[in-house]
Amino acid sequence: MRKERKNKVMRRLLGVLVGACLLLGALAPNALAAPFEITGFDGNVTRNAAGEPDTQAGSHPFEVSTQIDFATEGGSPTRNVKDIDVELPAGLIGDPSATPHCTMAQLNAPFTSNEGCPENSQVGTTTIFTNGVSNTFPVYNMVAPPGVPALFGFVILVDPVTATATVRAAEAGGGTEGYGLDIHLHNISQGLPLAGTGLSFWGNPSDPAHDAERGRCLLAKAGLGEAPAGGCPYTADPKPFMTLPTSCDGKPAVTRLRATSWNGEADTASFATHGNFGEPLGTDGCDRVPFGGSIETSLGTPTADSPSSLGVDLRIPQNTNPNGLATANLRKSVVTLPPGISINPATANGLVGCSVAQFDQFGEAASTCPQNSKIGTVEIATPLLGEAITGGIYLARQTENPFGSLIAIYLVGEAAGVRVKLPGEIALDPVTGRLVTTFDNTPQVPFSDFKLNFFGGPTAVLATPVTCGTQASSAVLTPWSGSAAVGAGSSITVSSAPSGGCVSAPGARPFALALEAGTVSNAAALHSPFTLQVSRPDGSQELGRIEATLPTGLLAALKGVPECAAPAAAAGTCTAASQIGTVTVGAGAGTNPFYVRTGRAYLTGPYKGAPLGLDFVVPAVAGPLDLGTVNVRAAAFVDPTTAQVTVKSDELPHILAGIPLRIRSVRLDVDRQGFMVNPTSCEPGKVTSHVASTEGAGTDLSDRFQAAGCGALGFTPTVTPRLLGGRKALNRRRHPRLQVTVKEPAGQANLGAVSVAMPRSILLDQSHIKTVCTRVQFNAQKCPAASIYGSAKVTTPLLDKPLEGPVYLRSSNHKLPDLVVDLKGQIEIVLAGRIDSKNGGIRTVFNAIPDAPISTFTLTMKGGKKGLLVNSVNLCRAQAKAVVQTAGQNGAQHDTQPALATACGRKKGR
C-alpha cells in the first residue's frame, strides 16, 4: 500500500512538472519572434567510459552519441520541433537482434512497475533538455511493427516517444553512402518544449560499464523509483549492437541532421567524426578486420545438355563476439560458374527485359520489373533483421543497364521495410560461353548468406554442360576493409545424359539426327514448295555443316530470279528480289527450344566452285536479346549428268556473343511462288543429307521421296532431223551438216531417252574421226579444239538464257567414241550419246537425259572436212527417213520416222 501511494504521489508530481513546463513555454517572452534553428549538432564515438575516441574499423564502440541543440529564448525553444531525421554514415550498423525486445505495452507501464521494458532490452540512453532542465532516460529496443526494420522507444516524463530506423536507398552516381541507417523521431509532442536532445547507443549492451545507466538504475538517479538491490546487470546472451564501418578510406564519417518545426520551418546540420580536440578522425586498423567466405553451387538436375535451375550461395561467417571485431563487409564478389554452364537460348520464350526505369535502383519505391523478366529468386540472410531479405532476380534489358552489357541481372529484395536493389554484370566468354557474374559496391551491411536461385524448367535461363563429370566454380570476394580478396570454390556434378549413358568428352557423344524433307505436294511436274529440316535431340553433338542432295528431277526454276551479288551475299544484305524461301532455327536445351522463324534464303551467284549459291540470313533475335545477324552461305552444285542439286553449307555458328546456341533444328522452306518443280518420273527416290558435327563426326541421312501421277502426263515430243549445206552437200560421197531439233510441249513428261537412227544411205565416215577427247581431258575441261565436231543449244523454262556448248567426240568403252554435248550457261549439263550401228545405219542414243523440261534442243554437227556423216547416194534423188525413238521420264514411248529435211525441193509431178 505504501508503495502504491508513493507511485500516485510520483504521478501527481510528474503532472505538475509537465504543467509547469507548458506554462513556462507559453509565457516565454517573444517565443514566436525568433526563427527555428539548429544551433548545435555534434557527436562522438568512444571506446571506453573515459571518452577516448574509437577509430578501430569493425569494432563495437562503448558508445555512439549525438547531441542536438535548438535556438532558445529565455530558456525555451523559439519553435517546438516536430520531426528529427538523422542520417548515419554508411557502414555504421546497429543490430536490432542483439538484445531482447520491449513491447509498446511495456513501454507505457509505470517506471517503477515490474511490467516495464526489460532491462536487457535497453540499447542506450537519451537526454532531454527542456526549460533549463536535463533528464536522461533509457532507450529500449522495441518490437518493430511490420515493414519497419527497427524501432526504439523511451519515455520522457509521461510521454512515450519512439524512433524509427530505416535504410537508405542506393546512392546515384556510384556513391558509397547508400544503404546507411536513418533515425527518425516524428510528431514530437508540442507539449515538450525541446531545447536540445542527446542520443547514445551502446556498442555492447552487455558491457558491465553500462550497468549504472541501465533500466531502473538510471531512473533511480532521476528520482523515478528505486534501484534494484542487485543492481542492473545484463543477463541475456551478449551480442554487439553497434558496429563501426569495416572500411578505411581515411575520411571522417559524416552524420547529417534535418529538423522541422511544427510551424513547417526546417533546418539542417552535419558533423564529421573527430577526436576530443576536434581533430578529424576516420576509421583505421582495417588490416585487423577478419574476412572470409565460401561459395556453394548446385544444379537442379544432374543431366547433361539440359535446362536446369542453379543455386549459388555465398556465405560470409559473422563474428558475433561483442569483444572482438566484426567480419568485414563484402564489397565485391566475382563468381565464375563451372565451364559448360551457359545461357540457354530456350529461355527467350516469353522472356522480356527490365528497364533501368523499372528497376529504379536509386528510388525509394519498389521496383516494377515485369513478372516475365523474372528468372530466379534471391534470399539474403543478415543478422540485422529478424527475417531474410527475399525477392527476385530479373533480366536487365540488353545494353540498357548500368554496364551497357549484353546480359545483366537485377536483384530486388525486401524485408521489414528494407529494400535492396543490386545490379549485377554478367560477362560471357566469347569462345566457351562461361559465365562470370560481378556485383560491386554491395551495401556496407553484414550478411551471412547470399543465395541466388535461377529457375529451372523447360525454359530455364541456364543449361548444364554437354558432358558428364565434375566441374569447379569459383568466387573472388573482396571486403570493404581493403584487405586482399579471398578465393572460394565449389563444384557441380553432371552424372547422366539425356539419351542414356554418360561421356566426358564432347566428341564421344552420339550424333543421332533426324531428316524430314519433301515437297508440299508431290504431284508430278507441279510447282510446289520444298522443305528440308535437320534436327537433333538433347545430348547429341551439335550441328556443324549440312549437305543435302535432292532427288533427280526435283529442280528449281531460276528464270526471273536475280542472283544476289557476291558482296551483298557476303554482307548478308541481299534484296527481296533474290529471296527464294525462309529459314527457321530452333535453339536451346530442353523440350521447348526457342525458334527464330524470321530467317531468309537468297539465291546467289557462283560460290566455292559451284555455279550457284545460297545465302541464309537469320536475325539472331531471341526474346529480349538481339545478337545481331547470322549469315551462312552455301554452295549449290548441279550434277552435269543428272542435274541433281547438292547444297553444301558453310559452318553453322555454335556460339554468338558468348551464348552457345545449342542448335536443335534447321529448317529451310523454299517457298517462292513457282520456284521448285517436281520430277516427271515416279520412280522412288530420296533426299539425302550428310551432316558434320562441330566435333568432326559425320552422319548420313535420307528421307524417301516419290512423285505421283506421272502416268497421267502426256508425252509427244517432236524430233526433226535436217541435212544442211545446200543441194551440193547432198550429192553422193558428200559430208552434209546435220541438225536435229527436239521440242517438248509444256506440262508433259520430260524426255528421258532419245535414239536417232539414220537411213542406210547415210554412213559414218570413220576417216574423218581425227581427234578424240579423252575422259581425263574432258573432266579437266581441257579437250583439244580439234575434238569438237559440232555445237548444241537448249532453251528451258527453268532458265533465263539458253545453255550452249560444243559437241565432242570423247573416248569410250565402245567401238566408237561417244558423242558428248557440253552445255554451259548458268549451269552446266553434259549429255553423252553412244554411237553404234542399227540395221546397217548409223545410230546415236542418249539414254541419260536429266529429268528437266526443255523448250527447244538443237544439235548441229559439222559438215565438210569435219563432217562425220557421208552420203552413199544423192539424197535429192531418194527420199530418206530417220527412225526416232523417244522415252519419257514417266515411262511413256513415242516413236516416229521423220523424213530428213533437205534443201532439194520437189519438181512438179514427181
Side-chain angles (χ1 to χ4, degrees):
M1 293 295 292
R2 293 179 58 190
K3 185 175 182 180
E4 182 62 28
R5 285 197 297 271
K6 185 175 181 180
N7 287 338
K8 289 182 180 179
V9 172
M10 186 64 67
R11 291 193 190 99
R12 291 175 182 170
L13 177 59
L14 291 175
V16 171
L17 289 173
V18 171
C21 289
L22 292 174
L23 180 60
L24 289 171
L27 297 177
N30 299 320
L32 299 179
F36 176 76
E37 184 182 6
I38 300 171
T39 58
F41 181 52
D42 201 358
N44 294 286
V45 179
T46 60
R47 63 186 179 90
N48 51 35
E52 296 179 279
D54 189 354
T55 59
Q56 173 61 53
S59 67
H60 310 296
F62 178 77
E63 200 169 59
V64 176
S65 63
T66 60
Q67 181 172 323
I68 309 168
D69 296 315
F70 299 106
T72 61
E73 286 188 0
S76 296
T78 58
R79 295 287 191 275
N80 287 336
V81 64
K82 178 178 180 287
D83 298 328
I84 296 176
D85 297 285
V86 179
E87 182 181 299
L88 299 179
L92 179 60
I93 297 301
D95 181 0
S97 68
T99 69
H101 292 82
C102 174
T103 67
M104 288 302 299
Q106 291 171 322
L107 185 67
N108 281 307
F111 289 131
T112 56
S113 72
N114 293 323
E115 299 175 355
C117 289
E119 292 178 348
N120 290 336
S121 66
Q122 186 178 347
V123 291
T125 62
T126 182
T127 300
I128 303 300
F129 300 90
T130 178
N131 294 319
V133 179
S134 66
N135 285 286
T136 302
F137 304 96
V139 175
Y140 298 101
N141 189 10
M142 304 296 297
V143 175
V148 175
L151 186 70
F152 307 105
F154 50 91
V155 176
I156 302 176
L157 300 179
V158 295
D159 291 326
V161 178
T162 57
T164 303
T166 61
V167 178
R168 295 192 296 276
E171 188 177 22
T176 59
E177 288 302 308
Y179 295 101
L181 296 180
D182 292 345
I183 307 296
H184 311 280
L185 286 84
H186 287 176
N187 296 316
I188 300 170
S189 173
Q190 296 190 65
L192 184 64
L194 196 63
T197 181
L199 180 65
S200 296
F201 284 125
W202 299 334
N204 176 14
S206 66
D207 190 337
H210 296 304
D211 289 353
E213 295 182 307
R214 198 184 315 279
R216 285 181 291 172
C217 290
L218 176 60
L219 294 173
K221 290 183 180 180
L224 302 175
E226 297 179 355
C232 301
Y234 189 83
T235 58
D237 293 334
K239 286 180 63 178
F241 175 64
M242 294 297 294
T243 303
L244 291 190
T246 60
S247 58
C248 299
D249 60 5
K251 299 178 182 178
V254 177
T255 302
R256 297 178 174 86
L257 166 68
R258 177 182 173 85
T260 307
S261 74
W262 280 96
N263 292 48
E265 299 171 274
D267 197 10
T268 60
S270 64
F271 71 88
T273 51
H274 55 79
N276 292 337
F277 300 101
E279 69 278 15
L281 294 177
T283 50
D284 55 25
C286 277
D287 57 323
R288 297 180 54 202
V289 179
F291 180 73
S294 63
I295 183 176
E296 181 178 333
T297 51
S298 59
L299 286 174
T301 175
T303 305
D305 198 14
S306 300
S308 177
S309 62
L310 175 74
V312 179
D313 186 1
L314 287 179
R315 297 191 181 104
I316 308 294
Q318 299 296 315
N319 180 17
T320 59
N321 181 355
N323 297 312
L325 297 180
T327 302
N329 297 321
L330 178 67
R331 178 169 189 164
K332 181 178 181 181
S333 58
V334 180
V335 176
T336 303
L337 293 182
I341 291 181
S342 62
I343 298 293
N344 180 19
T347 194
N349 284 302
L351 189 66
V352 301
C354 179
S355 70
V356 170
Q358 290 167 329
F359 177 45
D360 192 21
Q361 180 182 1
F362 308 113
E364 296 286 348
S367 294
T368 57
C369 289
Q371 187 62 26
N372 51 349
S373 67
K374 189 175 182 179
I375 58 175
T377 60
V378 60
E379 181 178 329
I380 305 172
T382 170
L384 307 186
L385 298 175
E387 58 184 293
I389 297 173
T390 58
I393 306 171
Y394 298 88
L395 178 70
R397 283 189 185 173
Q398 176 181 339
T399 66
E400 189 195 326
N401 55 66
F403 318 103
S405 59
L406 173 68
I407 302 287
I409 56 176
Y410 296 142
L411 305 186
V412 179
E414 187 170 350
V418 176
R419 289 195 177 100
V420 175
K421 304 174 187 178
L422 299 178
E425 181 179 14
I426 297 182
L428 299 89
D429 188 290
V431 176
T432 67
R434 194 172 189 183
L435 300 168
V436 179
T437 303
T438 301
F439 289 96
D440 202 359
N441 285 325
T442 51
Q444 296 188 62
V445 295
F447 69 84
S448 53
D449 272 303
F450 196 111
K451 297 180 181 178
L452 304 181
N453 184 67
F454 294 92
F455 293 145
T459 57
V461 71
L462 298 173
T464 58
V466 298
T467 57
C468 293
T470 298
Q471 301 285 358
S473 56
S474 64
V476 177
L477 309 176
T478 303
W480 275 98
S481 61
S483 57
V486 299
S490 181
S491 64
I492 55 96
T493 298
V494 175
S495 57
S496 63
S499 56
C502 210
V503 298
S504 57
R509 292 173 294 161
F511 194 41
L513 305 178
L515 172 68
E516 294 181 27
T519 52
V520 174
S521 171
N522 66 340
L526 182 73
H527 288 277
S528 177
F530 171 78
T531 295
L532 181 143
Q533 177 171 298
V534 176
S535 57
R536 72 171 186 90
D538 284 323
S540 175
Q541 296 183 41
E542 288 78 23
L543 304 177
R545 294 182 307 277
I546 299 176
E547 176 182 322
T549 300
L550 304 186
T552 55
L554 182 57
L555 301 173
L558 304 178
K559 188 173 184 177
V561 184
E563 296 176 355
C564 177
T573 57
C574 296
T575 64
S578 302
Q579 185 174 348
I580 61 169
T582 59
V583 179
T584 300
V585 178
T591 57
N592 289 338
F594 181 83
Y595 289 94
V596 178
R597 307 179 189 275
T598 54
R600 300 173 301 280
Y602 300 93
L603 178 70
T604 76
Y607 183 64
K608 289 190 173 179
L612 300 168
L614 297 178
D615 188 26
F616 306 115
V617 180
V618 181
V621 179
L625 301 179
D626 185 348
L627 307 182
T629 299
V630 174
N631 188 39
V632 176
R633 301 193 65 186
F637 296 89
V638 180
D639 187 289
T641 302
T642 65
Q644 267 187 297
V645 177
T646 297
V647 177
K648 299 180 179 181
S649 79
D650 288 347
E651 189 81 17
L652 304 182
H654 71 279
I655 187 170
L656 285 178
I659 299 180
L661 299 180
R662 304 185 191 232
I663 294 176
R664 299 289 299 283
S665 66
V666 175
R667 177 185 175 107
L668 170 63
D669 288 286
V670 184
D671 53 8
R672 184 183 179 115
Q673 183 71 29
F675 187 74
M676 297 298 294
V677 60
N678 282 326
T680 62
S681 169
C682 288
E683 289 296 315
K686 58 185 177 180
V687 179
T688 62
S689 179
H690 178 80
V691 185
S693 79
T694 55
E695 303 298 328
T699 188
D700 293 315
L701 308 167
S702 66
D703 195 11
R704 187 178 184 276
F705 179 88
Q706 186 173 16
C710 298
L713 297 175
F715 183 66
T716 58
T718 60
V719 181
T720 304
R722 289 184 176 85
L723 294 176
L724 307 176
R727 294 175 63 91
K728 187 176 181 179
L730 300 178
N731 289 335
R732 186 173 178 267
R733 295 183 180 178
R734 295 287 180 151
H735 298 80
R737 288 183 293 135
L738 173 67
Q739 185 180 81
V740 179
T741 302
V742 181
K743 293 184 178 180
E744 287 184 353
Q748 292 193 355
N750 298 324
L751 187 67
V754 62
S755 168
V756 178
M758 304 302 291
R760 293 181 181 182
S761 58
I762 299 178
L763 305 174
L764 175 67
D765 190 346
Q766 296 193 41
S767 65
H768 277 204
I769 301 177
K770 301 294 185 180
T771 305
V772 176
C773 182
T774 67
R775 289 181 177 271
V776 173
Q777 289 172 324
F778 187 85
N779 292 336
Q781 301 283 304
K782 293 182 178 179
C783 286
S787 65
I788 299 174
Y789 291 83
S791 63
K793 179 179 180 180
V794 64
T795 59
T796 168
L798 302 184
L799 300 174
D800 284 308
K801 296 180 180 180
L803 301 179
E804 301 180 75
V807 178
Y808 298 97
L809 284 184
R810 189 183 69 183
S811 60
S812 72
N813 297 326
H814 311 118
K815 291 182 180 181
L816 295 174
D818 288 338
L819 191 70
V820 179
V821 179
D822 190 8
L823 298 167
K824 293 184 179 179
Q826 196 170 10
I827 60 173
E828 180 183 12
I829 295 294
V830 175
L831 302 175
R834 178 181 175 181
I835 302 173
D836 63 6
S837 177
K838 177 70 173 178
N839 297 326
I842 191 71
R843 181 180 69 170
T844 303
V845 180
F846 290 90
N847 276 324
I849 299 175
D851 188 0
I854 62 172
S855 299
T856 302
F857 173 80
T858 302
L859 181 145
T860 303
M861 299 299 297
K862 294 180 178 181
K865 294 181 180 181
K866 213 47 177 168
L868 297 178
L869 301 180
V870 61
N871 305 328
S872 62
V873 298
N874 187 326
L875 294 179
C876 285
R877 295 179 180 178
Q879 186 178 21
K881 292 185 177 181
V883 176
V884 176
Q885 295 177 317
T886 57
Q889 294 285 348
N890 63 346
Q893 295 286 329
H894 185 70
D895 300 337
T896 60
Q897 292 186 18
L900 288 175
T902 67
C904 294
R906 292 180 180 272
K907 288 185 179 180
K908 215 171 193 179
R910 273 191 79 178

